[in-house]
Amino acid sequence: MSQSLQPIARLMATLRQRAATRPAGSYTTKLLDGGVEKIGGKIREEAAELIEAASEEGDQGREHFVYEAGDLIYHTLVLLAWRGVDLDEVASELARREGTSGLVEKASREPGTESTST
Protein backbone atom coordinates (compact mmCIF):
# COMPACT_ATOMS: atom_id res chain seq x y z
CA MET A 1 0.00 0.00 0.00
CA SER A 2 1.22 3.44 -0.85
CA GLN A 3 2.41 5.35 2.21
CA SER A 4 -0.01 8.13 1.30
CA LEU A 5 -2.89 5.66 1.82
CA GLN A 6 -1.68 4.46 5.22
CA PRO A 7 -3.76 7.08 7.09
CA ILE A 8 -6.87 5.60 5.46
CA ALA A 9 -5.88 2.10 6.60
CA ARG A 10 -5.24 3.39 10.13
CA LEU A 11 -8.59 5.20 10.11
CA MET A 12 -10.35 2.02 9.00
CA ALA A 13 -8.71 0.10 11.86
CA THR A 14 -9.87 2.77 14.31
CA LEU A 15 -13.40 2.66 12.91
CA ARG A 16 -13.52 -1.15 13.20
CA GLN A 17 -12.48 -0.79 16.84
CA ARG A 18 -15.08 1.93 17.46
CA ALA A 19 -17.74 -0.27 15.86
CA ALA A 20 -16.79 -3.06 18.26
CA THR A 21 -16.43 -0.98 21.46
CA ARG A 22 -18.72 2.04 20.88
CA PRO A 23 -16.88 4.43 23.23
CA ALA A 24 -19.10 7.08 24.82
CA GLY A 25 -18.66 10.64 23.59
CA SER A 26 -17.36 9.60 20.17
CA TYR A 27 -18.83 11.14 17.00
CA THR A 28 -18.19 7.83 15.27
CA THR A 29 -20.16 6.00 17.97
CA LYS A 30 -23.06 8.41 17.46
CA LEU A 31 -23.04 7.65 13.75
CA LEU A 32 -22.74 3.90 14.29
CA ASP A 33 -25.58 3.92 16.80
CA GLY A 34 -27.74 5.73 14.23
CA GLY A 35 -27.21 2.90 11.77
CA VAL A 36 -27.59 3.09 8.04
CA GLU A 37 -30.17 5.88 8.26
CA LYS A 38 -27.83 8.25 10.15
CA ILE A 39 -24.64 7.26 8.32
CA GLY A 40 -26.38 7.20 4.93
CA GLY A 41 -27.78 10.66 5.55
CA LYS A 42 -24.30 11.97 6.25
CA ILE A 43 -22.95 10.29 3.11
CA ARG A 44 -25.67 11.96 1.02
CA GLU A 45 -24.91 15.32 2.65
CA GLU A 46 -21.16 15.00 2.16
CA ALA A 47 -21.55 13.81 -1.46
CA ALA A 48 -23.63 16.90 -2.24
CA GLU A 49 -21.03 19.13 -0.59
CA LEU A 50 -18.24 17.43 -2.58
CA ILE A 51 -20.09 17.98 -5.85
CA GLU A 52 -20.71 21.62 -4.97
CA ALA A 53 -17.05 22.13 -4.03
CA ALA A 54 -15.92 20.59 -7.33
CA SER A 55 -17.10 23.66 -9.20
CA GLU A 56 -15.23 26.13 -6.99
CA GLU A 57 -12.24 27.70 -8.70
CA GLY A 58 -8.71 28.45 -7.60
CA ASP A 59 -6.54 27.09 -4.83
CA GLN A 60 -9.18 27.77 -2.18
CA GLY A 61 -11.75 25.84 -4.23
CA ARG A 62 -9.32 22.96 -4.63
CA GLU A 63 -8.63 22.91 -0.87
CA HIS A 64 -12.35 22.91 -0.14
CA PHE A 65 -12.86 20.05 -2.61
CA VAL A 66 -10.11 17.98 -0.95
CA TYR A 67 -11.63 18.71 2.48
CA GLU A 68 -15.07 17.56 1.36
CA ALA A 69 -13.59 14.45 -0.29
CA GLY A 70 -12.07 13.60 3.08
CA ASP A 71 -15.46 13.98 4.76
CA LEU A 72 -17.13 11.73 2.19
CA ILE A 73 -14.42 9.08 2.49
CA TYR A 74 -14.61 9.17 6.30
CA HIS A 75 -18.38 8.69 6.35
CA THR A 76 -18.16 5.93 3.73
CA LEU A 77 -15.59 4.14 5.89
CA VAL A 78 -17.91 4.47 8.89
CA LEU A 79 -20.64 2.73 6.89
CA LEU A 80 -18.20 -0.01 5.92
CA ALA A 81 -17.31 -0.48 9.60
CA TRP A 82 -20.99 -0.51 10.58
CA ARG A 83 -21.61 -3.20 7.96
CA GLY A 84 -18.51 -5.16 9.02
CA VAL A 85 -16.84 -4.75 5.63
CA ASP A 86 -13.09 -4.18 5.55
CA LEU A 87 -11.50 -1.76 3.13
CA ASP A 88 -9.47 -4.68 1.74
CA GLU A 89 -12.73 -6.23 0.52
CA VAL A 90 -13.51 -3.07 -1.42
CA ALA A 91 -9.97 -3.00 -2.81
CA SER A 92 -10.39 -6.61 -3.95
CA GLU A 93 -13.63 -5.73 -5.70
CA LEU A 94 -11.94 -2.82 -7.47
CA ALA A 95 -9.04 -5.09 -8.45
CA ARG A 96 -11.54 -7.59 -9.87
CA ARG A 97 -12.99 -4.85 -12.07
CA GLU A 98 -9.61 -3.47 -13.13
CA GLY A 99 -9.13 -3.58 -16.86
CA THR A 100 -12.83 -4.18 -17.48
CA SER A 101 -14.86 -1.54 -19.23
CA GLY A 102 -17.46 -0.09 -16.91
CA LEU A 103 -20.04 -0.58 -19.63
CA VAL A 104 -19.08 -4.25 -20.06
CA GLU A 105 -19.09 -4.82 -16.30
CA LYS A 106 -22.49 -3.19 -15.95
CA ALA A 107 -23.96 -5.25 -18.81
CA SER A 108 -22.69 -8.46 -17.19
CA ARG A 109 -24.73 -7.92 -14.02
CA GLU A 110 -28.13 -9.46 -13.52
CA PRO A 111 -31.06 -7.19 -14.38
CA GLY A 112 -32.26 -5.16 -11.42
CA THR A 113 -28.91 -4.82 -9.64
CA GLU A 114 -28.29 -1.33 -8.40
CA SER A 115 -24.50 -1.01 -8.04
CA THR A 116 -22.52 1.21 -10.37
CA SER A 117 -19.07 0.97 -11.86
CA THR A 118 -16.59 3.53 -13.12
Side-chain angles (χ1 to χ4, degrees):
M1 176 181 296
S2 166
Q3 285 194 7
S4 67
L5 296 179
Q6 287 179 356
I8 295 173
R10 287 192 304 269
L11 175 58
M12 189 71 224
T14 298
L15 294 174
R16 280 194 312 270
Q17 173 144 14
R18 296 271 166 89
T21 62
R22 307 285 173 103
S26 162
Y27 175 67
T28 300
T29 296
K30 182 179 175 181
L31 289 171
L32 292 165
D33 287 347
V36 72
E37 184 176 329
K38 178 78 171 173
I39 304 165
K42 287 300 294 181
I43 290 172
R44 283 186 194 96
E45 175 188 324
E46 297 303 340
E49 291 175 5
L50 177 68
I51 292 165
E52 184 178 310
S55 65
E56 296 174 6
E57 297 181 8
D59 290 342
Q60 188 173 11
R62 181 181 175 84
E63 288 175 21
H64 185 214
F65 178 74
V66 169
Y67 180 87
E68 295 300 343
D71 279 353
L72 180 59
I73 290 168
Y74 164 76
H75 288 92
T76 300
L77 294 176
V78 171
L79 188 59
L80 290 174
W82 179 84
R83 187 71 168 95
V85 173
D86 192 77
L87 193 54
D88 288 337
E89 293 177 70
V90 177
S92 293
E93 173 59 19
L94 292 173
R96 183 190 69 78
R97 296 180 191 183
E98 192 172 10
T100 303
S101 162
L103 296 174
V104 171
E105 192 278 333
K106 187 173 184 174
S108 72
R109 287 189 244 132
E110 293 181 30
T113 58
E114 301 271 335
S115 65
T116 59
S117 179
T118 54

